[in-house]
Amino acid sequence: MSLVVTQKGEFEAMRRVLNTNVDGGVKVMYALTAIKGVGRRYANIVLKKADIDFSKRAGELSHDELERIVEIIQNPLQYKIPQWFLNRQKDRTSGKYWQLVSNAVDNSLREDLDRMKKVRVHRGLRHDWNLRVRGQHTKTTGRGGRTVGVTKKK
C-alpha cells in the first residue's frame, strides 16, 4: 500500500515523542509501541481516549493530536484508564498507580533490583550473581558461552 500525502509539509517521516523516535510511516497504534512502556493495548486505549482515527499514520498527526496523546500517556488516571491497566501498580514508596514510560521504566527497574540486592532477598541475590531468577533449571543451560562436557579421545 502506498502512502498518500494530501498537502505538502503535512507528513513527517520521523516524530519525536517522549524522548523516542517514532516512525511516521507506520499506523499510529503500532508507532506508539516504539515508546518503552507503551504496548499495543495501551496504545489502543490511548487513541480511543484521544479520539484519533486508527487508520492514520504517525507522520500525519497534527501537533495538537500529538500533545493530546502525550498528555493521556502521562496522566492515564485523569482520563479514566483503569488502574489495573497501568504498568506500575501500588508503587512501594508512594503507594500510587503509574504508567511508566521511556526512561522511567529503566530507572524503576534499576531501583527495584538495587533494593532487592540491598535487602538480600533471594531474587536480588540471584540477580547479583547473574543466575536465573525465575526457577529455571541451571545444570545444563544458561552457561553463558562456557561449554562443559566430555571431550573425545583421538
Side-chain angles (χ1 to χ4, degrees):
M1 180 174 155
S2 65
L3 185 62
V4 179
V5 180
T6 54
Q7 295 178 356
K8 273 195 165 182
E10 193 175 308
F11 180 80
E12 289 185 39
M14 279 299 229
R15 280 287 175 73
R16 189 83 174 154
V17 181
L18 293 171
N19 296 331
T20 308
N21 291 331
V22 174
D23 186 12
V26 181
K27 290 195 176 177
V28 185
M29 188 174 101
Y30 298 105
L32 288 178
T33 60
I35 302 169
K36 196 163 192 172
V38 177
R40 288 188 310 211
R41 293 190 63 207
Y42 190 66
N44 187 340
I45 200 167
V46 164
L47 292 178
K48 284 180 182 174
K49 296 288 182 182
D51 197 32
I52 294 174
D53 186 20
F54 285 91
S55 63
K56 269 191 173 180
R57 305 278 170 171
E60 298 171 355
L61 290 176
S62 68
H63 187 67
D64 296 335
E65 290 173 329
L66 268 179
E67 284 181 356
R68 215 173 340 144
I69 288 172
V70 170
E71 176 67 25
I72 294 172
I73 287 175
Q74 290 179 336
N75 305 313
L77 294 175
Q78 292 177 2
Y79 293 91
K80 296 187 175 120
I81 293 177
Q83 287 182 341
W84 55 264
F85 215 91
L86 307 180
N87 64 5
R88 182 73 171 183
Q89 298 178 7
K90 217 167 181 186
D91 186 47
R92 272 195 174 285
T93 55
S94 65
K96 294 182 180 177
Y97 291 78
W98 291 334
Q99 177 70 22
L100 300 176
V101 289
S102 68
N103 298 338
V105 175
D106 297 329
N107 292 339
S108 70
L109 179 64
R110 187 176 59 256
E111 289 169 5
D112 290 343
L113 291 178
D114 289 344
R115 181 188 53 78
M116 284 192 282
K117 290 174 188 175
K118 182 179 170 190
V119 179
R120 308 291 288 170
V121 181
H122 184 261
R123 262 180 72 192
L125 292 174
R126 301 288 290 187
H127 274 292
D128 208 16
W129 297 332
N130 294 324
L131 292 173
R132 303 289 170 132
V133 177
R134 298 185 175 181
Q136 299 96 322
H137 291 270
T138 56
K139 184 176 182 180
T140 57
T141 62
R143 290 180 178 165
R146 299 178 303 241
T147 54
V148 180
V150 179
T151 56
K152 223 174 173 183
K153 284 188 180 179
K154 288 189 176 183

